């Protein structure tokens, strides 16, 4: 059994919980009550709020801010909210202890330009940058060179922040189907990107030039469907996990497998399917996998 063990940290949007799932040890499983929407699941080095003892810590976006949970202590240990973070979708830490927050002004469905709000290490608002011409962001990642990957309604962009308060778009990647690309991460080879294409319900591997290397989609059993592909994670063995979010309702997870594991050829070799315990999952961190 140990050889097939999977340990996952999962963000449950529809039931507003953070889960730790252990396929081999039910006693190690836990769920921590948080708040919706539970987007942008990230493992973070510090809890914030004046203390860093304990951990590991996971942060998720909630309404107008974020919460941080200690999965060993099985409780929320920090939270932050601010009026500038209305319609917040993602948070990225900065080397100086501050953070960047991605906001979709006006809310979902509005074509307002995406804003990136900077806070200092004391969580004071510093300034706001504007990325014009893209809207409906769902995720943002800060790369080592300071560039940002920001998802939007029709794909994702590489961008950077300029001193004049503008966000400069360096490159645009369009999703091949659907809309509302949810999350993108660099591939481990450093030559492209993995993207969960939201309502396109596809796991797309982009080359660095914007061309498409592969498109993977699960063949689910009758009565189950690929609804909305959310956060992907590539493992060193070439396997890629992705969440299949299936709706805002508590029982919407009946509609499809909640997590998919593709092998290096694009075949689904494992899936999580437990609608009684899990709602619709939007975020994942794989701690252990065969």
């Amino acid at each position: 059994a140990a050889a097939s063990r999977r340990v996952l940290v999962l963000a449950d949007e529809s039931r507003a919980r953070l889960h730790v799932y252990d396929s081999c040890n039910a006693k190690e499983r836990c769920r921590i009550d948080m708040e919706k929407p539970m987007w942008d699941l990230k493992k973070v080095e510090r809890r914030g709020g004046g203390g860093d003892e304990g951990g590991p810590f996971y942060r998720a976006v909630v309404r107008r801010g974020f919460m941080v949970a200690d999965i060993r202590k099985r409780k929320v240990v920090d939270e932050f909210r601010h009026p500038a973070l209305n319609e917040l979708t993602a948070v990225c830490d900065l080397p100086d202890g501050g953070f960047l927050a991605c906001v979709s002004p006006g809310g979902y469905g509005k074509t307002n330009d995406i804003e990136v709000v900077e806070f200092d290490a004391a969580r004071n608002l510093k300034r706001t940058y504007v990325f014009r011409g893209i809207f409906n962001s769902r995720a943002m990642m800060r790369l080592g060179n300071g560039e940002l990957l920001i998802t939007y309604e029709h794909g994702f962009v590489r961008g950077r922040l300029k001193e004049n308060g503008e966000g400069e778009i360096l490159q645009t990647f369009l999703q091949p189907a659907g809309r509302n690309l949810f999350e993108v991460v660099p591939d481990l080879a450093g030559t492209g990107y993995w993207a969960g294409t939201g309502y396109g319900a596809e796991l797309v591997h982009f080359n660095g030039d914007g061309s498409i290397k592969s498109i993977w989609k699960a063949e689910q059993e009758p009565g189950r469907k690929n609804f909305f592909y959310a956060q992907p994670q590539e493992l060193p063995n070439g396997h890629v996990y992705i969440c299949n979010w299936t709706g805002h309702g508590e029982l919407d997870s009946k509609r499809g497998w909640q997590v998919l594991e593709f092998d290096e050829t694009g075949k689904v070799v494992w899936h999580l399917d437990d609608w009684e315990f899990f709602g619709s999952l939007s975020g994942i961190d794989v701690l252990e996998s065969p």
Side-chain angles (χ1 to χ4, degrees), residues 82-95:
H82 192 280
L85 300 182
N86 189 26
E87 302 301 335
L88 172 67
T89 58
V91 178
C92 295
D93 292 325
L94 294 171

Side-chain angles (χ1 to χ4, degrees), residues 32 53-57 68-77:
I32 302 167
E53 70 282 353
F57 304 114
V68 180
D70 183 328
I71 63 170
R72 185 169 289 115
K73 294 182 179 179
R74 302 187 176 189
K75 66 178 184 179
V76 173
V77 293

Side-chain angles (χ1 to χ4, degrees), residues 44-58 66 68-70 73 75-79 121 123:
V44 293
E45 294 183 359
R46 55 186 183 272
R47 59 175 275 188
D52 293 333
E53 70 282 353
F57 304 114
Y58 282 85
F66 57 79
V68 180
D70 183 328
K73 294 182 179 179
K75 66 178 184 179
V76 173
V77 293
D78 180 37
E79 54 187 294
R123 296 184 174 176

